[in-house]
Amino acid sequence: MQEFIDFLNGIIWSPALIYLCLGAGLFYSILTRFAQVRHFKEMWSLLFNSTPSEKGISSFQALAVSLSGRVGTGNIAGVAAAIGFGGPGAVFWMWVVAFLGASTAYAESTLGQIYKVNDNGQYRGGPAYYFEKGLSMKWLGVLFALASIIACGVFLPGIQANSVGNAVAQVFGQGDIINTSFGSVGTTKLVALAVILVVLAFIIFGGIKRIANFTQIIVPFMAMGYIIMALIVVFLNVDQVPGIFSMIISDAFTAQAGFGAAIGWGVKRGVYSNEAGQGTGPHAAAAAEVEHPAQQGLVQAFSVYVDTLFVCTATALMILITQQYNIQGTLPDGQFIVQNVPADVIIASPAFTQMALQSIFGSFGSIFVGVALFFFAFTTILAYYYIAETNVAYLRRALKVNVPLTLVKLLIMFMVAYGTVNTAGYIWNLGDVGVGLMAWLNIVGIIVIFFMARPTMKALKDYEDQKAAGVEEYTFDPKALGIKGADFWEKRLEKKQANK
C-alpha cells in the first residue's frame, strides 16, 4: 500500500504541477497588475469593516477559518521537511509561492463569492460551485467535490493529528507502550488523541458558526504567540540574521540538496502550507457576508502572506539560526549532506522546530511548540471538516443524493485517530496525494474560467472603479458586467432595488 501511495504521489507531484502552481500565480499576478501589492492597505482595512449575518460570517471570521486551514502542521513540520529535504533554499521558493500565490488566492476566493449559493439559510461555495456555474461543467464540479471529500475527509486530517501526537510524545515522553491493531503506541499519544476527539466533536457538531467563533479567537492568538517567540530567537541572534537570509537566497540557486530539490520541496510545502490554488480557501471565502465579491478575494490574498511570509518564515529562521536541522540527500543511500542533529530525528515532523526552541528556552521551548502545534493542527482539522461538509452539500444539491453529515463527522474523527498512531512519512504522503489532486483540478479550472468569462478581472475592475468614485456602499451587478451564473448576486441586487 505504501509503495502504491509513493508511486501515485510521484505522478501527481510531477514537475508539471510545480510549474503549474508557479505559472498560475504569475498569470494572475500580471493580469491583476499585482493586486496583492497594490491593495495591501485595502486588504488590512477590509478585515475589520464587515459584520456577520444570520446566513453568513464576517470577513474576519472567514479569514480565521481559512487561516485555520492554512496555518497548520505545514508551518512547523512542513517547513522542517522542506529544509531537511530541499535545503535552506527551499524557504526562498516557499516565499515565491506565497507572493505569486496571493494572486491565485484572490482569483479563486473571488470566484467562490461570485458563484456562491444560499443553501437552506447558509452561504456555501467553492470550486465545485464555480465549475458548475461558471463553466457549465457539473461533471467537473462533482469530480472536485469527490476529490475534496476524499482529501479533506480522509487523507489530510491524519497529518495534523500525527504531528500533534509526535509533538506531545517528544515533550512528555511516549508513556507506557500499548500494542494495538495499528502497531505499538504510547499512552501519551492516546491521551492527546482523546482530548482532540472530545473537543473536535463538540465543535463540528455545532456547524460553521461555532467553527468561526472558535477560530476567530484561537487563530490570531496562536499565530501572534508563535511569531513573538520567533522574534525573540531572532533578537537574541540578530547578528546571524543577514547571513541566514543570504544563505536562503544563495542556496535557492546553488542548492545544497540540488536545485530541483530546493524548488520541488519549496513549492510542494509552500502549496501545502498556504493552500493558494489548492481550492480550499474559496469554501470559507464564500461563507462571508460582503458587499462585493472582490473584497473577500483581497482578504484571502492577505491570508497567504500571514501563513507563509510570517509564520513559515518564523519557523525557518528559528531552525536555521539555531542550526537544529539535517539535510538529507536524494541519493539511494539517503546520506546526509548536512548533519547538525542525530540521524534518527524524523525530518517530516515538528522535531527540528522543537529542538530549535529548546536550544534557546530549554524544556519550555519544546513544550511551547507542542502546545502551538496542538492548536495549529486542531484548527486545521476544523477547516478540513468544513470543506468536506460544503462539498457533501454540493453533491446533495447536484446529484440529489442524501449523504448524512454525521457520517462525514465520524469519518474525520476516525482518520484523526488513525493518523495519530501511524508513522509520519506514510501519513504525509497520503496528504500530498490529496493536496495534489485538488490543486490539479482547481488550478486548471480557474485558468479555464478566465479564458471563458474573466469574472475575477471584471469583479476587480468594478470594485476599483467604485472605490475610485468614492461610493458609500458597494454593489455588484453581474449582468451589467457580463457575468453569467451568479444567481445569488442577481437576486440580492433585485431585492435591494425593490426595497428602495
Side-chain angles (χ1 to χ4, degrees), residues 197-218:
L197 291 178
V198 170
V199 181
L200 177 63
F202 172 76
I203 296 176
I204 64 177
F205 278 91
I208 182 58
K209 289 285 188 180
R210 189 174 293 176
I211 294 173
N213 290 333
F214 180 81
T215 55
Q216 75 172 341
I217 296 173
I218 295 298

Side-chain angles (χ1 to χ4, degrees), residues 236-480:
L236 294 175
N237 300 274
V238 68
D239 58 315
Q240 296 187 41
V241 174
I244 294 298
F245 277 99
S246 177
M247 179 174 65
I248 290 173
I249 295 172
S250 63
D251 190 60
F253 301 97
T254 59
Q256 295 179 58
F259 186 61
I263 296 179
W265 279 94
V267 173
K268 181 188 289 189
R269 295 274 73 89
V271 171
Y272 181 85
S273 175
N274 64 51
E275 300 187 1
Q278 185 179 321
T280 53
H283 297 89
E289 181 73 69
V290 291
E291 296 177 351
H292 195 285
Q295 292 176 319
Q296 196 57 33
L298 292 173
V299 168
Q300 296 301 323
F302 181 76
S303 70
V304 175
Y305 288 154
V306 174
D307 172 87
T308 304
L309 297 186
F310 296 161
V311 183
C312 283
T313 300
T315 301
L317 289 177
M318 287 189 291
I319 291 173
L320 294 174
I321 284 175
T322 58
Q323 297 186 0
Q324 298 296 309
Y325 65 94
N326 294 332
I327 301 176
Q328 187 169 349
T330 57
L331 297 175
D333 59 3
Q335 67 184 45
F336 290 111
I337 298 172
V338 174
Q339 184 176 358
N340 297 318
V341 298
D344 60 350
V345 173
I346 300 174
I347 292 178
S349 77
F352 288 171
T353 312
Q354 286 180 300
M355 295 169 73
L357 280 175
Q358 191 170 6
S359 69
I360 301 294
F361 300 102
S363 59
F364 171 77
S366 184
I367 294 173
F368 176 83
V369 173
V371 173
L373 191 58
F374 176 87
F375 285 111
F376 277 32
F378 183 76
T379 54
T380 300
I381 294 170
L382 293 178
Y384 288 156
Y385 164 72
Y386 178 66
I387 293 167
E389 176 190 293
T390 300
N391 284 282
V392 167
Y394 173 80
L395 292 180
R396 281 176 163 178
R397 172 182 166 277
L399 302 181
K400 309 298 182 184
V401 294
N402 185 23
V403 181
L405 284 178
T406 301
L407 184 63
V408 179
K409 295 169 184 176
L410 293 176
L411 176 62
I412 283 187
M413 293 176 71
F414 172 79
M415 291 310 300
V416 165
Y418 179 78
T420 303
V421 297
N422 275 270
T423 59
Y426 181 67
I427 294 298
W428 275 87
N429 287 342
L430 275 175
D432 285 341
V433 170
V435 170
L437 285 173
M438 294 175 68
W440 267 110
L441 293 171
N442 185 58
I443 291 178
V444 171
I446 64 175
I447 292 177
V448 172
I449 284 179
F450 169 79
F451 284 109
M452 290 188 66
R454 304 184 181 182
T456 55
M457 297 305 301
K458 292 177 180 178
L460 181 61
K461 186 178 185 305
D462 179 57
Y463 182 71
E464 290 175 338
D465 289 345
Q466 292 187 51
K467 182 175 176 62
V471 299
E472 293 183 1
E473 184 179 356
Y474 291 93
T475 58
F476 182 66
D477 186 351
K479 286 185 177 180

Side-chain angles (χ1 to χ4, degrees), residues 155-170:
F155 290 166
L156 293 170
I159 294 177
Q160 310 300 323
N162 183 271
S163 293
V164 171
N166 288 339
V168 171
Q170 181 146 340

Side-chain angles (χ1 to χ4, degrees), residues 35-102:
Q36 68 266 47
V37 177
R38 293 190 298 112
H39 291 301
F40 185 83
K41 183 179 179 181
E42 181 73 1
M43 295 175 190
W44 183 256
S45 64
L46 285 171
L47 288 177
F48 307 102
N49 287 344
S50 64
T51 55
S53 66
E54 291 183 0
K55 299 175 183 177
I57 57 180
S58 71
S59 283
F60 182 78
Q61 288 177 320
L63 174 73
V65 173
S66 63
L67 270 177
S68 68
R70 289 185 164 100
V71 180
T73 60
N75 300 85
I76 298 179
V79 174
I83 294 173
F85 292 116
V91 178
F92 173 84
W93 293 107
M94 291 183 76
W95 292 341
V96 172
V97 169
F99 176 73
L100 297 178

